Amino acid sequence: MTKKTHATAKVVTLKFDDNRLARDLFGAEDRHIRSLENRLGVDIDVRGADVRIRGPESGVSMGEAILNQLYSFLKKGYPIMGADIEKAFRMLSRDRNADLESLFSESIFLPAQKRVIMPRSSAQKAYLEAIRTHDVVFAIGPAGTGKSYLAVAMAVASLLRKEFDRIVLARPAVEAGEKLGFLPGDMQEKVNPYLRPLYDALHDMLDVERVEDLIAEDIIEVAPIAFMRGRTLHRAFVILDEAQNCSYQQMKMCLTRLGPDSKMVVNGDVTQIDLPPGERSGLLEAWRILQGCPGIAFHEFTDADVFRHELVGTIVRAYQSDEGDYGR
């Protein structure tokens, strides 16, 4: 690797006291360090658990702040991902005095897995706070912003703390114009592909066997929205996912299932509505009708909050630009 030359360089050496945590901070094959190096325009040398940062004063100072703050999060049990390096860089670029810990402190602890799931942006932090403080929360935003994953994490953590008796995860079984009747298998086999993202989130937070047991005991229910008709859900944490594909009547039906001591989170991406032409999206209509109602929160994510592969945000913005240009 060719090192950069700096006419007037500042040099800082950081010494970390835990080799294992230092390796987590640096990333596999020092990927986090290389990412930070490229973003800051500095040279970073790694020796054991220590790093030496050399380059322009502004870049060195920011690198020092990012590594020290992220290392302190690791010591408190918060995992660090590559996206955190980018987010820390962006935050400190806007405000050199930004307190990164304010983002990471709003964490979700899953005792069974001994895991901490934490917000990775101010928007995610505000979303979690809205879920904690409101009985009904609506959230819209593009794919990859954590809408569903964080809601499932909150539901699982709340269930483990015995704040709720059950979790109900629902989705409309309407996507890309497909109809259930044309799919092979019985009803459960027909709807499972639509519910796969919710199962994936559950399996990321609980052992597969534990998830299966909880589903068998009806403590966790994963079902298409049509299965909610005629019910009242008591002491339940309800998540309605992909709600942009609910009809007006389905949304009204779902919202009115909420029983005593229950909570509901309604998520969707309004740029991916697959309802038949002319049919109103229940999510957009609810967003309009319920504004200002006490106890209901509304939260909106943007493409800046996407936390999948770093190219996902670029792809989302490119499609938004194309759709704006052609009026689609």
Side-chain angles (χ1 to χ4, degrees), residues 50-207:
D50 301 339
V51 296
R52 176 178 173 269
I53 310 174
R54 182 178 185 274
E57 182 174 356
S58 60
V60 171
S61 297
M62 186 180 295
E64 181 181 14
I66 290 173
L67 290 174
N68 278 332
Q69 290 202 52
L70 293 182
Y71 183 69
S72 72
F73 303 154
L74 282 167
K75 294 186 74 171
K76 295 176 181 178
Y78 301 151
I80 298 297
M81 300 173 61
D84 298 321
I85 302 294
E86 179 185 359
K87 181 57 65 176
F89 171 76
R90 288 163 59 184
M91 283 189 66
L92 290 177
S93 294
R94 292 192 297 264
D95 180 6
R96 288 298 180 93
N97 298 315
D99 180 11
L100 299 182
E101 188 165 2
S102 65
L103 281 181
F104 292 79
S105 61
E106 196 74 23
S107 58
I108 304 167
F109 181 57
L110 300 174
Q113 297 289 88
K114 296 183 179 179
R115 283 188 57 198
V116 174
I117 297 174
M118 57 191 174
R120 302 190 180 277
S121 70
S122 56
Q124 288 191 349
K125 179 182 178 183
Y127 175 55
L128 292 179
E129 181 61 23
I131 295 175
R132 284 193 174 98
T133 57
H134 293 78
D135 289 337
V136 177
V137 176
F138 288 88
I140 61 173
T145 52
K147 304 183 303 295
S148 302
Y149 188 85
L150 290 175
V152 173
M154 288 285 282
V156 170
S158 298
L159 180 72
L160 295 177
R161 292 194 300 266
K162 302 187 183 302
E163 295 173 4
F164 297 95
D165 293 336
R166 60 199 310 253
I167 297 172
V168 178
L169 307 175
R171 285 183 111 198
V174 177
E175 292 187 15
E178 295 179 2
K179 303 296 184 182
L180 289 178
F182 292 100
L183 297 176
D186 58 23
M187 179 56 68
Q188 193 62 41
E189 291 170 327
K190 289 176 188 286
V191 301
N192 270 347
Y194 295 100
L195 305 173
R196 188 75 258 164
L198 297 176
Y199 284 112
D200 289 344
L202 285 172
H203 291 154
D204 197 41
M205 298 166 198
L206 296 169
D207 294 335

Side-chain angles (χ1 to χ4, degrees), residues 18 34 57 66 80 101 121 145 246 248 277 282 287 298 317 327:
D18 187 312
R34 300 287 79 87
E57 182 174 356
I66 290 173
I80 298 297
E101 188 165 2
S121 70
T145 52
C246 287
Y248 178 95
W287 194 277
F298 297 84
R317 288 189 291 273

Side-chain angles (χ1 to χ4, degrees), residues 166 168 221 224-234 249-259 264:
R166 60 199 310 253
V168 178
E221 178 182 357
I225 190 173
F227 287 25
M228 298 180 68
R229 189 174 300 279
R231 304 168 61 186
T232 300
L233 301 172
H234 299 271
Q249 290 299 333
Q250 284 177 326
M251 178 61 70
K252 180 181 176 183
M253 179 271 291
C254 184
L255 291 172
T256 54
R257 299 308 93 196
L258 199 65
M264 182 178 292

Side-chain angles (χ1 to χ4, degrees), residues 196-272:
R196 188 75 258 164
L198 297 176
Y199 284 112
D200 289 344
L202 285 172
H203 291 154
D204 197 41
M205 298 166 198
L206 296 169
D207 294 335
V208 173
E209 295 80 7
R210 182 80 186 279
V211 172
E212 292 176 351
D213 289 344
L214 292 172
I215 290 175
E217 295 169 13
D218 208 28
I219 295 173
I220 294 180
E221 178 182 357
V222 186
I225 190 173
F227 287 25
M228 298 180 68
R229 189 174 300 279
R231 304 168 61 186
T232 300
L233 301 172
H234 299 271
R235 286 187 54 81
F237 195 121
V238 185
I239 300 173
L240 174 56
D241 199 33
E242 297 292 339
Q244 76 276 3
N245 288 325
C246 287
S247 68
Y248 178 95
Q249 290 299 333
Q250 284 177 326
M251 178 61 70
K252 180 181 176 183
M253 179 271 291
C254 184
L255 291 172
T256 54
R257 299 308 93 196
L258 199 65
D261 301 315
S262 292
K263 185 183 294 285
M264 182 178 292
V265 180
V266 181
N267 293 320
D269 179 357
V270 295
T271 68
Q272 298 189 35

